[in-house]
Amino acid sequence: MGPGPAVARRVAPAARTVNIRGPSVATMEHELQVEATLSGPAPPGDLLATRLPVLAAESIQRSIGPRGSGQLTRWSVEGDKLSLTVESDGARPHQAVLALLRRLGEELGKSAHIGVRSFRAPLYRVRFSLAPPPKKEIHLPIPHTLTVDGETATLELTELSEEALRDNWMDRAVTLVQEKSKRQSYEGKEQYWALLKASPPREHPFRLDPTEEMLKRLWVRSGPTKGKWFLGPTAAHLLRTMERIARREVLEPLGFSEVVQPHHDSFDILLKTGHLEGLPGEFYYVTEPRTRDPAAWETFTDLVKITRHVPEAELAKLVSPPSAVSCYAQCPTIYWWLSGRTLATDSLPVRVYDRSAVSNRYESGGRHGLERVDEFHRIEPVYVGTPEQLVALREQLLERYTHVFDKILELEWRTAWVTPFYMQQSGGVGVEEGQERIKGTIDFEAYLPYRGPRETSEWLEFQNLSIVGEKYTKAFTIRTQKGELWSGCSGIGLERWLTAFLAQKGLDPDAWPAAFRRHVGTLPADIRFL
Ligand code: ATP
Ligand code: ZN
Ligand code: MG
């Protein structure tokens, strides 16, 4: 073997430890200890001693700047191991430390042909305010200690990798702790709900559960898998009538065009919208076969032939871990479609809707009848435009919906401002402070007479309408030629429209409003089962 590179033959200087901060300086809010491995023993001479403090001061100045102050408080070197500690007040120090290590690597490379090979953080401690203080212990799934003193929390993360430092784990962990604490204070409290408008009360001679009645008439059959229904010709015709009404009376007059979107939502998309952290227990996950090779499936098929059972353990070996979810909400994939694009001013507001992806939700104990199912049909209009355009469009949508519910379906219904779905679906709580009457979600609810008196019974949310603001246009990098770009969506649940209508009007077409009957046309003849 030939001689190694020059750097490897350098004589390592004796271990050095330098404490920069005198005993008089009080401990700062944040402290980050880093241990870097150099590509060779640290250079002799005073290179580190002279350059490290300078580079640290410059990096701190650049990344913390006027947001706070910081200091390299300690460093030591032994062979190829360089340890340093940066403390700061105000802004957290990790960006400064990353910059410092980058610049140090550059300088050592030039002057001594040594690089910073890798680093890790044995300890990262930050102090932050936590109001309201948590009611009970908060857990994090990464090594840490959390202490709370009044409304001040101190979080220490230990053994952070280089990647975790670069990826901002500390900032995210702090946000998560604050979120968890806030959630504890909301727990058990009612969801935010403020009445917006109510239709006049109506007479309801029919007071039965429409699903029960449809079952009796064999219009529907509870499906072969959980929470799903088979709609026979009559029920299907009525569901499609609701869809036609929504398109003809609301969407087409307001200039919405149909899009057809894929049915699987990628994890990438749901990471951007926040769904994956908000609702992981409500998805149906999609798995793929590991292979289509029949030979790989032979044991499986043989076992099926012999046992007439599904060999679950064998199946588990043959499918991949989940890689997507079956459509939960339609708007995320519509945002993906627009992602990275710049919208021309004359295309605004973009108005599209999807009715092709069938929504799947794991409703668990909450299922009931046709109104709360695991698989439902929904039209989701999505709109993207300037704030003014979206506020105007909301008024137009409200006007058209009102027309449908008052004049065609003749429902008893009301609207209310509620916790925005995009906060709920990303694990948030409450309303958007100060914004709740511009941005936010309006729920549409229908009285279900079979559930009891209108004053005390639970009404059915049969659709909603939201203005989201910039959350999704930002997350998906959707831009306009100039100005702010907002988005929003509305969820028209067809099973909910149908049950709300049948619960109030009954199943006898003679009792249905004339305008609705016109949309229905001729009902298909019932199949007679003997
Ligand atoms: P709920 O609180 O009643 O479960 P949600 O807040 O989960 O409704 P969203 O996520 O806002 O509903 O979905 C928008 C619309 O989709 C709802 O207004 C409703 O029409 C429909 N929808 C949601 N979940 C279901 C379900 N399990 N079965 C039928 N329709 C549903
Ligand atoms: Zn949506
Ligand atoms: Mg729900």
Side-chain angles (χ1 to χ4, degrees), residues 12 30 83 127 139 156 260 274 282 309 317 344 376 395 459-460 466 468 511 522:
H30 316 302
S83 308
R127 245 190 349 249
H139 299 279
E156 284 182 5
V260 173
E282 287 191 31
H309 286 298
K317 283 190 246 161
F376 54 94
E395 290 315 305
W459 292 35
L460 177 69
S466 298
V468 172
T522 316

Side-chain angles (χ1 to χ4, degrees), residues 361 363 372-373 376 378 425 461-464 493 496:
R361 289 189 179 184
E363 290 285 357
R372 186 172 299 282
V373 288
F376 54 94
R378 179 178 45 192
Q425 294 182 353
E461 175 198 329
F462 62 95
Q463 68 164 31
N464 61 17
R496 299 268 177 106

Side-chain angles (χ1 to χ4, degrees), residues 20-96:
I20 294 164
R21 189 181 62 202
S24 59
V25 182
T27 313
M28 298 177 108
E29 274 180 293
H30 316 302
E31 175 184 348
L32 174 55
Q33 296 174 12
V34 170
E35 246 179 57
T37 303
L38 307 176
S39 61
D46 277 340
L47 188 62
L48 280 177
T50 51
R51 291 307 292 156
L52 204 52
V54 175
L55 292 178
E58 285 174 10
S59 304
I60 286 166
Q61 178 53 35
R62 260 188 223 159
S63 44
I64 295 181
R67 293 181 299 136
S69 60
Q71 214 184 343
L72 176 72
T73 52
R74 191 175 178 282
W75 66 271
S76 65
V77 68
E78 190 172 355
D80 61 355
K81 292 276 180 283
L82 169 68
S83 308
L84 55 87
T85 301
V86 170
E87 295 185 35
S88 70
D89 281 325
R92 294 180 195 128
H94 57 273
Q95 295 302 349

